[in-house]
Every structure is written in C-alpha cells, then in structure tokens.
Amino acid sequence: MGEIYETVAAAIDAVAATLMVLGILTAAFTFVRNSSFGRSDRLKQAQLVRCEFGMVLTLALELMIASDLLHTLINHSLEDLYALALLVAIRTVIG
C-alpha cells in the first residue's frame, strides 16, 4: 500500500513542478510581450501577470503540501514533518 502512496505523491510532485515551470514561462513571456509593444497600461498588465502567476504558484504549493502529507503518512519522519510545516508556512504567507 505504501508503494501506491509513493507513486501518487511522486505524480503530484511532478504536476506541481510542471505547473511552476509553466507559470514562470508564461509570466515571463506575457511580461516581455506586454513591455515590448509599448502598451500604455503597462502597470495594469504587470499586476495582472503577477496575480495570475501567484494563483499558479499557490496551486502548485497546495499540491506540494498534499504530496508532503502523503510522504509524512508513509515515512513518519520528523524531517518530513518539518518540510511540511515549512511549505504550509510559505503557503500561508503567500495566500
């Protein structure tokens, strides 16, 4: 049963990492595109990019928390519990 949880946790980690990378690339591309064409509403566009990236980052962190919960349930180690606490603290500050 632990192997299934490990596989699910690894899949969740992969999805979270993919979301982060795609979010960074999308935000960078959108920011450069909006900045390079001389848009008059640059500040509004920059805030929109930050907001969208923040939502993607928050979702990725929540997925990482779910994955770490599974790891903590499987391994029962204090180190995993500390990692989980750190992720929850980061998520709380960002949210």
Side-chain angles (χ1 to χ4, degrees):
M1 191 69 159
E3 292 176 15
I4 294 172
Y5 288 142
E6 283 291 336
T7 303
V8 170
I12 292 172
D13 280 337
V15 170
T18 303
L19 275 173
M20 283 185 186
V21 169
L22 290 176
I24 289 169
L25 292 175
T26 302
F29 174 75
T30 304
F31 183 78
V32 169
R33 184 188 65 199
N34 290 343
S35 297
S36 64
F37 290 120
R39 297 180 65 118
S40 60
D41 57 349
R42 281 189 208 169
L43 182 61
K44 182 179 176 185
Q45 292 298 320
Q47 289 174 339
L48 183 63
V49 168
R50 284 179 51 207
C51 183
E52 289 175 357
F53 177 64
M55 289 188 315
V56 170
L57 187 62
T58 300
L59 176 61
L61 284 172
E62 287 180 9
L63 289 173
M64 291 176 75
I65 289 170
S67 171
D68 279 349
L69 274 172
L70 288 174
H71 284 296
T72 303
L73 288 174
I74 295 166
N75 298 328
H76 301 294
S77 75
L78 200 54
E79 186 176 299
D80 287 338
L81 187 60
Y82 290 148
L84 177 62
L86 179 64
L87 277 176
V88 169
I90 291 170
R91 168 61 179 94
T92 301
V93 169
I94 288 178

